[in-house]
Amino acid sequence: MTTYAPPLREMLFAMKEHGGLDAVLAQPGNEEVTGELVGAILDEASKFAANVLAPINAQGDTQGCRWHDGAVTTADGFKKAYAGFCESGWNGMPAAVEFGGQGMPTLLSTAVLEMWKASNMAFSLCQMLTLGAVEAITHHASDELKQRYLPAMVEGRWTGTMNITEPQAGSDLAAIRTKAVPEADHYRISGTKIFITWGEHDMAQNIIHLVLARLPDAPPGVKGISLFVCPKFLVNADGSLGERNDLVCASIEHKIGIHGSATAVMSFGEGAGAIGWLVGEANQGLSCMFTMMNHARLNVGLEGVAISDRAYQKARQFALERVQGKTLGREGEPSLTIIGHPDVRRMLMDMKARVEAMRALAYYAAGLMDRAHGHADTTARQSAQTLVDLLIPIVKGWCTDNALGITSDGVQVHGGMGFIEETGASQHLRDARITTIYEGTTGIQANDLIGRKLARDGGRAMKQLIATMHADLDAAGDSGASRDALQSGIATALRGGIKSLTEATDWVLAAPAREAAAGAVPYLKLAGTVIAGWLMARGARAATAQLAHRPGEGGEGGDSNGDGDFFGAQRITAQHYALHVLPHAGALRDTVLHGASTTLGLTDAQF
Ligand SMILES: Cc1cc2nc3c(=O)[nH]c(=O)nc-3n(C[C@H](O)[C@H](O)[C@H](O)COP(=O)(O)OP(=O)(O)OC[C@H]3O[C@@H](n4cnc5c(N)ncnc54)[C@H](O)[C@@H]3O)c2cc1C
């Protein structure tokens, strides 16, 4: 069995220093969310993640889901864990109080969701999809539909899905063909949807499918797509379950990873048509989906953070136990555990530094989402929203791309045992693989970043962020950080990174669209590397201040609660990031500026 110990201290540090926890809690509407409550929630969530979800993660992987005659049976322990999850109120934690949720800030729910994802990513997807559907219904459905569906979905008695993808319509939603024909107060839906996460299972009484489909007179392309709510079991006026709707899970996929979650082929309307109700206006389905896109993409980016942290924990544990080889220069001494080897230490530090940088970025975005939602001042809300819109494709694309490398390094630290399934290291690599694909591939995130987020304001939001980073560095210098060798080294690396990001931004804004698109993914990675590098530098400054203020010590180590070790480690982790990760910014800049010549250079036949 592989274990998971939620890194509560690191999470709280990121919530405070990067997510702006104190400011979020001070916002109107969060009066009841005190610092103690935050601590208590994180504590309880960590117990559920470590004691209930983590222990069934491996059997979810090995047993997977089983399909028989349209029904799906989940792996042993999943049904019971889901019941406990809902009974403890975890399912609806971020949802509106009005429908039975707890209305917790996004920053807090992000930290809690990280624990579900790290302990059992396949399991966590069920709640993630349900919350997405809840958000879409909350914002766009009629009051009647809200009352009919939301309380049971928030409670978790019913789960939700997003039915977007069709065999011919993946990244290109304009190609969606599923039909919706009006009939009385509802619609009859027919068509095939593929890859539907938790589209069928045995953990809940009902499954509420949100389906993108076309009305008979809809205009072609994305302007003719509407959103429908389509339950597995129709719901009677008194809320009880009625007849089975005309939709069925035709099969489930065999996949590289996340075996514990069913990925369903859904067939709607094999008979008279599945009954569904319109959510929002006709032909506005895509903009309804956009409402929930930022949360959904933040949450998949968070999967990158979570699965990487799990892989790091596992690799660290193995490195502390595996005995192999001697210390360089001390060949006569007994063999050592591999954590003594410089290269293993490098791999572990790379993993740790990148996990913390990703968490910093994800929590920064989550805190901005709370600011955009609830800050008392309209201008502050708007500028936070602009920054959220800019950052979300970076959080999604960069954190998930990193996760592939980090979980692969996790296997590498294990040597041959990493390649052997029984150690569990490979499950993290396999589970991570989907994160760069669903909820928009990295290529689609990068197109969004340069084609919409940069282009729509001539790069103003990015340039403002760059100006903030410069101002922050200047202020840090003034505060004396430049006299601290570690911090001044970080600042030098960061200034180089910011320069690369500035030059690449100017180039992308000026380049012809096809050439800019050739550099879009390297640009996204460059942006993630540098913005997270800036947050790491801020974290190092905060840790330095904490160390300086410790009563009677003013140095690292030697304290009973480990604060000195913790803050000292934060500084060194930020330094590692500056020395080992930030230098890649220069190479990424070069690729953005010059890469299109080879990318676009061959004819199709020459590939
Ligand atoms: C396990 C799993 C779970 C999923 N869950 C759901 C779900 O719950 N609901 C749902 O509706 N869907 C779901 N999906 C579908 C998922 O969102 C799509 O697979 C994804 O959007 C990519 O679409 P595609 O597979 O058709 O790939 P394609 O769109 O065919 O893309 C293939 C490649 O071409 C690239 N590409 C395509 N278009 C462009 C472009 N314009 N610019 C640059 N590059 C481009 C892509 O980046 C990719 O590398 C899931 C998929 C999987 C595998």
Side-chain angles (χ1 to χ4, degrees):
M1 187 177 82
T2 67
T3 55
Y4 168 62
L8 291 184
R9 206 167 198 173
E10 283 80 357
M11 287 173 153
L12 211 49
F13 181 79
M15 287 170 83
K16 285 187 175 155
E17 302 303 335
H18 306 304
L21 179 64
D22 293 344
V24 168
L25 297 189
Q27 281 183 183
N30 289 339
E31 291 77 9
E32 287 173 21
V33 193
T34 59
E36 291 82 64
L37 183 65
V38 169
I41 289 175
L42 292 179
D43 223 38
E44 282 308 308
S46 77
K47 287 182 197 147
F48 196 88
N51 302 333
V52 180
L53 299 184
I56 57 170
N57 188 39
Q59 74 210 35
D61 185 51
T62 48
Q63 271 186 348
C65 294
R66 284 145 291 163
W67 180 94
H68 179 72
D69 205 12
V72 170
T73 308
T74 48
D76 293 352
F78 271 53
K79 208 169 159 176
K80 186 164 170 237
Y82 183 74
F85 185 77
C86 298
E87 268 161 31
S88 313
W90 293 121
N91 193 62
M93 200 189 105
V97 175
E98 189 187 351
F99 300 107
Q102 294 161 40
M104 289 294 154
T106 299
L107 180 59
L108 176 56
S109 63
T110 296
V112 171
L113 259 61
E114 183 190 325
M115 296 190 236
W116 309 149
K117 289 167 183 302
S119 56
N120 195 325
M121 187 170 136
F123 178 95
S124 76
L125 288 169
C126 189
Q127 183 208 22
M128 186 175 92
L129 270 297
T130 303
L131 289 177
V134 164
E135 202 183 342
I137 294 173
T138 304
H139 284 102
H140 300 289
S142 65
D143 286 343
E144 192 191 340
L145 290 179
K146 285 184 201 171
Q147 293 307 334
R148 196 185 305 167
Y149 294 108
L150 288 180
M153 292 176 79
V154 169
E155 199 186 320
R157 264 186 298 129
W158 304 348
T159 63
T161 69
M162 297 304 309
N163 285 251
I164 304 168
T165 308
E166 298 176 10
Q168 78 295 342
S171 300
D172 181 12
L173 301 184
I176 283 177
R177 286 191 202 136
T178 295
K179 285 189 204 141
V181 178
E183 180 187 88
D185 73 333
H186 55 257
Y187 295 79
R188 290 281 183 177
I189 294 170
S190 56
T192 300
K193 295 285 182 180
I194 61 167
F195 298 157
I196 305 309
T197 300
W198 286 102
E200 178 58 45
H201 60 87
D202 59 357
M203 302 197 303
Q205 298 163 6
N206 202 1
I207 302 175
I208 312 305
H209 300 283
L210 286 191
V211 185
L212 284 183
R214 286 185 186 285
L215 295 167
D217 55 356
V222 289
K223 292 195 173 137
I225 300 171
S226 306
L227 183 64
F228 299 88
V229 61
C230 202
K232 174 177 166 184
F233 290 101
L234 297 173
V235 180
N236 298 321
D238 64 358
S240 61
L241 296 186
E243 276 175 43
R244 176 88 200 225
N245 207 350
D246 181 11
L247 60 94
V248 66
C249 170
S251 62
I252 57 173
E253 308 292 352
H254 301 279
K255 314 183 291 258
I256 296 178
I258 53 166
H259 296 156
S261 80
T263 304
V265 175
M266 298 301 303
S267 181
F268 291 84
E270 289 182 0
I275 295 180
W277 287 266
L278 184 66
V279 174
E281 302 282 311
N283 301 325
Q284 296 298 314
L286 215 56
S287 56
C288 296
M289 300 290 296
F290 272 120
T291 314
M292 45 167 282
M293 203 167 270
N294 277 345
H295 271 114
R297 292 186 167 176
L298 169 71
N299 288 341
V300 177
L302 194 63
E303 283 175 4
V305 182
I307 200 77
S308 299
D309 185 51
R310 182 83 189 262
Y312 163 64
Q313 289 192 23
K314 182 147 189 47
R316 181 185 57 197
Q317 194 56 37
F318 184 83
L320 286 164
E321 290 165 4
R322 167 76 172 158
V323 175
Q324 193 71 194
K326 315 262 182 190
T327 308
L328 281 172
R330 293 190 199 163
E331 280 71 16
E333 293 184 7
S335 296
L336 78 166
T337 49
I338 60 169
I339 200 162
H341 294 303
D343 188 57
V344 174
R345 298 178 84 78
R346 177 193 61 78
M347 286 192 279
L348 289 175
M349 276 308 289
D350 266 11
M351 295 173 82
K352 177 172 159 59
R354 285 187 288 161
V355 166
E356 291 188 4
M358 293 192 291
R359 183 179 293 119
L361 183 64
Y363 285 26
Y364 176 53
L368 284 168
M369 282 165 105
D370 283 322
R371 197 178 164 87
H373 174 73
H375 196 281
D377 177 60
T378 315
T379 318
R381 280 204 302 276
Q382 282 165 350
S383 61
Q385 188 60 50
T386 307
L387 208 43
V388 167
D389 291 342
L390 177 75
L391 289 173
I392 286 296
I394 304 172
V395 173
K396 199 292 184 179
W398 186 69
C399 293
T400 58
D401 186 72
N402 266 320
L404 304 188
I406 295 170
T407 53
S408 179
D409 283 352
V411 170
Q412 190 71 18
V413 169
H414 285 74
M417 287 309 286
F419 202 70
I420 305 298
E421 288 289 353
E422 73 193 51
T423 55
S426 62
Q427 186 192 343
H428 306 319
L429 172 61
R430 290 185 290 97
D431 284 353
R433 195 61 196 86
I434 186 60
T435 60
T436 62
I437 296 173
Y438 59 17
E439 197 47 49
T441 62
T442 312
I444 297 301
Q445 304 304 323
N447 285 354
D448 179 45
L449 177 62
I450 65 157
R452 291 183 64 239
K453 307 299 168 57
L454 276 191
R456 76 179 174 194
D457 66 356
R460 206 169 68 227
M462 181 59 96
K463 286 177 181 171
Q464 263 170 13
L465 182 56
I466 288 172
T468 305
M469 292 195 261
H470 274 304
D472 204 34
L473 270 173
D474 293 345
D478 293 344
S479 75
S482 55
R483 290 190 293 279
D484 169 355
L486 181 143
Q487 286 195 79
S488 76
I490 293 174
T492 304
L494 183 56
R495 281 199 198 280
I498 297 173
K499 183 167 178 287
S500 295
L501 179 59
T502 308
E503 288 166 3
T505 303
D506 290 341
W507 184 88
V508 165
L509 286 166
R514 198 165 151 74
E515 284 182 35
V521 167
Y523 178 79
L524 179 147
K525 291 183 188 177
L526 169 59
T529 303
V530 175
I531 299 166
W534 163 59
L535 295 171
M536 290 296 276
R538 286 203 327 189
R541 206 182 329 148
T544 307
Q546 290 284 349
L547 282 169
H549 291 123
R550 285 167 65 234
E553 295 191 43
E556 294 167 24
D559 53 339
S560 55
N561 60 5
D563 273 356
D565 283 344
F566 175 77
F567 292 119
Q570 291 296 313
R571 276 168 50 88
I572 293 181
T573 308
Q575 185 187 26
H576 182 91
Y577 187 91
L579 285 172
H580 290 249
V581 186
L582 264 178
H584 293 288
L588 287 165
R589 169 213 167 269
D590 291 348
T591 307
V592 173
L593 264 61
H594 308 296
S597 55
T598 54
T599 312
L600 305 176
L602 301 187
T603 65
D604 289 0
Q606 284 178 299
F607 273 93

Short mmCIF file of all heavy atoms in Angstrom, two decimals, residues 438-469:
data_model
loop_
_atom_site.label_atom_id
_atom_site.label_comp_id
_atom_site.label_asym_id
_atom_site.label_seq_id
_atom_site.Cartn_x
_atom_site.Cartn_y
_atom_site.Cartn_z
N TYR A 438 -7.19 16.15 -21.26
CA TYR A 438 -8.60 16.56 -21.10
C TYR A 438 -8.73 17.99 -20.58
O TYR A 438 -7.77 18.59 -20.16
CB TYR A 438 -9.43 15.56 -20.30
CG TYR A 438 -9.04 15.21 -18.88
CD1 TYR A 438 -8.18 15.95 -18.11
CD2 TYR A 438 -9.61 14.07 -18.30
CE1 TYR A 438 -7.87 15.59 -16.81
CE2 TYR A 438 -9.30 13.70 -16.99
CZ TYR A 438 -8.43 14.47 -16.26
OH TYR A 438 -8.13 14.12 -14.98
N GLU A 439 -9.95 18.49 -20.71
CA GLU A 439 -10.24 19.90 -20.38
C GLU A 439 -9.38 20.84 -21.25
O GLU A 439 -8.94 21.90 -20.82
CB GLU A 439 -10.00 20.14 -18.89
CG GLU A 439 -10.64 21.40 -18.31
CD GLU A 439 -12.09 21.63 -18.70
OE1 GLU A 439 -12.89 20.68 -18.57
OE2 GLU A 439 -12.40 22.74 -19.15
N GLY A 440 -9.17 20.41 -22.51
CA GLY A 440 -8.37 21.22 -23.44
C GLY A 440 -6.91 20.83 -23.37
O GLY A 440 -6.27 20.99 -22.32
N THR A 441 -6.37 20.32 -24.48
CA THR A 441 -4.96 19.88 -24.51
C THR A 441 -4.04 21.09 -24.27
O THR A 441 -4.47 22.24 -24.32
CB THR A 441 -4.61 19.29 -25.88
OG1 THR A 441 -4.78 20.32 -26.87
CG2 THR A 441 -5.49 18.10 -26.23
N THR A 442 -2.76 20.80 -24.06
CA THR A 442 -1.80 21.89 -23.84
C THR A 442 -1.77 22.82 -25.06
O THR A 442 -1.66 24.04 -24.92
CB THR A 442 -0.40 21.32 -23.56
OG1 THR A 442 -0.53 20.30 -22.57
CG2 THR A 442 0.54 22.39 -23.04
N GLY A 443 -1.88 22.23 -26.25
CA GLY A 443 -1.91 23.05 -27.46
C GLY A 443 -3.10 24.01 -27.46
O GLY A 443 -2.97 25.18 -27.85
N ILE A 444 -4.23 23.53 -26.97
CA ILE A 444 -5.43 24.39 -26.94
C ILE A 444 -5.27 25.47 -25.86
O ILE A 444 -5.67 26.62 -26.06
CB ILE A 444 -6.69 23.51 -26.69
CG1 ILE A 444 -6.89 22.53 -27.86
CG2 ILE A 444 -7.93 24.36 -26.46
CD1 ILE A 444 -7.08 23.17 -29.22
N GLN A 445 -4.68 25.12 -24.73
CA GLN A 445 -4.43 26.14 -23.68
C GLN A 445 -3.51 27.23 -24.22
O GLN A 445 -3.71 28.43 -23.98
CB GLN A 445 -3.77 25.51 -22.44
CG GLN A 445 -4.50 24.37 -21.79
CD GLN A 445 -5.92 24.71 -21.39
OE1 GLN A 445 -6.18 25.83 -20.95
NE2 GLN A 445 -6.83 23.78 -21.55
N ALA A 446 -2.47 26.79 -24.96
CA ALA A 446 -1.49 27.76 -25.48
C ALA A 446 -2.14 28.65 -26.54
O ALA A 446 -1.86 29.86 -26.59
CB ALA A 446 -0.28 27.02 -26.04
N ASN A 447 -3.01 28.07 -27.36
CA ASN A 447 -3.74 28.89 -28.35
C ASN A 447 -4.60 29.93 -27.63
O ASN A 447 -4.70 31.08 -28.05
CB ASN A 447 -4.68 28.01 -29.20
CG ASN A 447 -3.91 27.21 -30.22
OD1 ASN A 447 -2.71 27.38 -30.39
ND2 ASN A 447 -4.61 26.31 -30.91
N ASP A 448 -5.24 29.49 -26.54
CA ASP A 448 -6.09 30.40 -25.75
C ASP A 448 -5.23 31.54 -25.18
O ASP A 448 -5.62 32.71 -25.22
CB ASP A 448 -6.76 29.59 -24.63
CG ASP A 448 -7.65 30.45 -23.74
OD1 ASP A 448 -8.42 31.25 -24.30
OD2 ASP A 448 -7.58 30.33 -22.51
N LEU A 449 -4.05 31.16 -24.69
CA LEU A 449 -3.18 32.16 -24.06
C LEU A 449 -2.74 33.23 -25.08
O LEU A 449 -2.87 34.42 -24.82
CB LEU A 449 -1.95 31.48 -23.44
CG LEU A 449 -0.91 32.40 -22.82
CD1 LEU A 449 -1.49 33.19 -21.66
CD2 LEU A 449 0.31 31.60 -22.34
N ILE A 450 -2.24 32.78 -26.23
CA ILE A 450 -1.72 33.81 -27.16
C ILE A 450 -2.83 34.37 -28.05
O ILE A 450 -2.82 35.54 -28.39
CB ILE A 450 -0.55 33.29 -28.02
CG1 ILE A 450 -1.01 32.17 -28.97
CG2 ILE A 450 0.63 32.84 -27.20
CD1 ILE A 450 -0.09 32.03 -30.15
N GLY A 451 -3.80 33.52 -28.42
CA GLY A 451 -4.82 33.96 -29.38
C GLY A 451 -5.92 34.79 -28.75
O GLY A 451 -6.48 35.68 -29.38
N ARG A 452 -6.25 34.50 -27.49
CA ARG A 452 -7.33 35.27 -26.84
C ARG A 452 -6.78 36.16 -25.74
O ARG A 452 -7.00 37.36 -25.74
CB ARG A 452 -8.38 34.31 -26.26
CG ARG A 452 -9.18 33.59 -27.34
CD ARG A 452 -10.26 32.70 -26.77
NE ARG A 452 -11.29 33.45 -26.06
CZ ARG A 452 -11.62 33.28 -24.78
NH1 ARG A 452 -11.01 32.36 -24.08
NH2 ARG A 452 -12.55 33.99 -24.22
N LYS A 453 -6.08 35.56 -24.79
CA LYS A 453 -5.73 36.32 -23.59
C LYS A 453 -4.69 37.41 -23.87
O LYS A 453 -4.76 38.48 -23.29
CB LYS A 453 -5.24 35.36 -22.49
CG LYS A 453 -6.20 34.22 -22.19
CD LYS A 453 -7.54 34.71 -21.70
CE LYS A 453 -8.66 33.68 -21.63
NZ LYS A 453 -8.41 32.50 -20.83
N LEU A 454 -3.71 37.12 -24.73
CA LEU A 454 -2.73 38.17 -25.07
C LEU A 454 -3.30 39.10 -26.12
O LEU A 454 -3.23 40.32 -26.00
CB LEU A 454 -1.44 37.55 -25.63
CG LEU A 454 -0.37 37.05 -24.69
CD1 LEU A 454 0.89 36.74 -25.48
CD2 LEU A 454 -0.04 38.05 -23.60
N ALA A 455 -3.90 38.51 -27.15
CA ALA A 455 -4.31 39.31 -28.31
C ALA A 455 -5.42 40.29 -27.97
O ALA A 455 -5.45 41.40 -28.48
CB ALA A 455 -4.73 38.39 -29.45
N ARG A 456 -6.34 39.89 -27.07
CA ARG A 456 -7.53 40.71 -26.90
C ARG A 456 -7.26 42.08 -26.27
O ARG A 456 -8.01 43.02 -26.47
CB ARG A 456 -8.61 39.96 -26.13
CG ARG A 456 -8.37 39.84 -24.64
CD ARG A 456 -9.52 39.08 -23.99
NE ARG A 456 -9.25 38.84 -22.59
CZ ARG A 456 -9.92 38.01 -21.86
NH1 ARG A 456 -10.91 37.32 -22.38
NH2 ARG A 456 -9.63 37.84 -20.60
N ASP A 457 -6.16 42.18 -25.50
CA ASP A 457 -5.86 43.51 -24.93
C ASP A 457 -4.47 43.98 -25.34
O ASP A 457 -3.85 44.79 -24.65
CB ASP A 457 -6.01 43.49 -23.40
CG ASP A 457 -5.00 42.59 -22.72
OD1 ASP A 457 -4.22 41.92 -23.44
OD2 ASP A 457 -4.97 42.55 -21.48
N GLY A 458 -3.98 43.45 -26.46
CA GLY A 458 -2.65 43.85 -26.93
C GLY A 458 -1.55 43.55 -25.91
O GLY A 458 -0.53 44.23 -25.86
N GLY A 459 -1.77 42.52 -25.10
CA GLY A 459 -0.75 42.10 -24.13
C GLY A 459 -0.73 42.93 -22.85
O GLY A 459 0.18 42.80 -22.03
N ARG A 460 -1.78 43.76 -22.66
CA ARG A 460 -1.75 44.67 -21.50
C ARG A 460 -1.69 43.92 -20.16
O ARG A 460 -0.89 44.25 -19.28
CB ARG A 460 -2.95 45.60 -21.53
CG ARG A 460 -2.65 46.90 -20.80
CD ARG A 460 -3.68 47.98 -21.01
NE ARG A 460 -4.92 47.61 -20.38
CZ ARG A 460 -6.11 47.70 -20.95
NH1 ARG A 460 -6.23 48.14 -22.18
NH2 ARG A 460 -7.21 47.35 -20.31
N ALA A 461 -2.52 42.88 -20.03
CA ALA A 461 -2.55 42.15 -18.74
C ALA A 461 -1.18 41.52 -18.45
O ALA A 461 -0.68 41.60 -17.32
CB ALA A 461 -3.64 41.09 -18.77
N MET A 462 -0.58 40.92 -19.48
CA MET A 462 0.74 40.29 -19.27
C MET A 462 1.79 41.35 -18.94
O MET A 462 2.62 41.17 -18.05
CB MET A 462 1.13 39.49 -20.51
CG MET A 462 2.47 38.76 -20.38
SD MET A 462 2.53 37.58 -18.99
CE MET A 462 2.12 36.04 -19.82
N LYS A 463 1.71 42.49 -19.63
CA LYS A 463 2.72 43.53 -19.38
C LYS A 463 2.55 44.12 -17.97
O LYS A 463 3.54 44.47 -17.31
CB LYS A 463 2.63 44.63 -20.45
CG LYS A 463 3.22 44.13 -21.77
CD LYS A 463 3.10 45.15 -22.87
CE LYS A 463 3.68 44.58 -24.16
NZ LYS A 463 3.42 45.41 -25.32
N GLN A 464 1.31 44.20 -17.54
CA GLN A 464 1.09 44.68 -16.16
C GLN A 464 1.67 43.71 -15.14
O GLN A 464 2.26 44.10 -14.14
CB GLN A 464 -0.41 44.85 -15.90
CG GLN A 464 -0.82 46.31 -16.11
CD GLN A 464 -2.32 46.48 -16.10
OE1 GLN A 464 -3.06 45.58 -15.72
NE2 GLN A 464 -2.77 47.64 -16.53
N LEU A 465 1.48 42.43 -15.43
CA LEU A 465 2.02 41.43 -14.51
C LEU A 465 3.55 41.51 -14.49
O LEU A 465 4.18 41.42 -13.43
CB LEU A 465 1.54 40.03 -14.94
CG LEU A 465 1.99 38.86 -14.07
CD1 LEU A 465 1.58 39.05 -12.61
CD2 LEU A 465 1.40 37.54 -14.60
N ILE A 466 4.14 41.70 -15.67
CA ILE A 466 5.60 41.83 -15.75
C ILE A 466 6.05 43.06 -14.96
O ILE A 466 7.04 43.01 -14.21
CB ILE A 466 6.04 41.90 -17.23
CG1 ILE A 466 5.88 40.52 -17.89
CG2 ILE A 466 7.49 42.38 -17.36
CD1 ILE A 466 6.11 40.48 -19.38
N ALA A 467 5.29 44.15 -15.08
CA ALA A 467 5.64 45.37 -14.34
C ALA A 467 5.54 45.11 -12.83
O ALA A 467 6.39 45.57 -12.04
CB ALA A 467 4.71 46.51 -14.74
N THR A 468 4.53 44.35 -12.42
CA THR A 468 4.38 44.02 -10.99
C THR A 468 5.59 43.22 -10.52
O THR A 468 6.12 43.45 -9.42
CB THR A 468 3.10 43.18 -10.77
OG1 THR A 468 2.01 43.89 -11.30
CG2 THR A 468 2.87 42.88 -9.31
N MET A 469 6.05 42.29 -11.35
CA MET A 469 7.20 41.46 -10.96
C MET A 469 8.44 42.34 -10.79
O MET A 469 9.19 42.19 -9.82
CB MET A 469 7.44 40.37 -12.01
CG MET A 469 6.34 39.32 -12.05
SD MET A 469 6.83 37.83 -12.96
CE MET A 469 6.11 38.10 -14.54
#
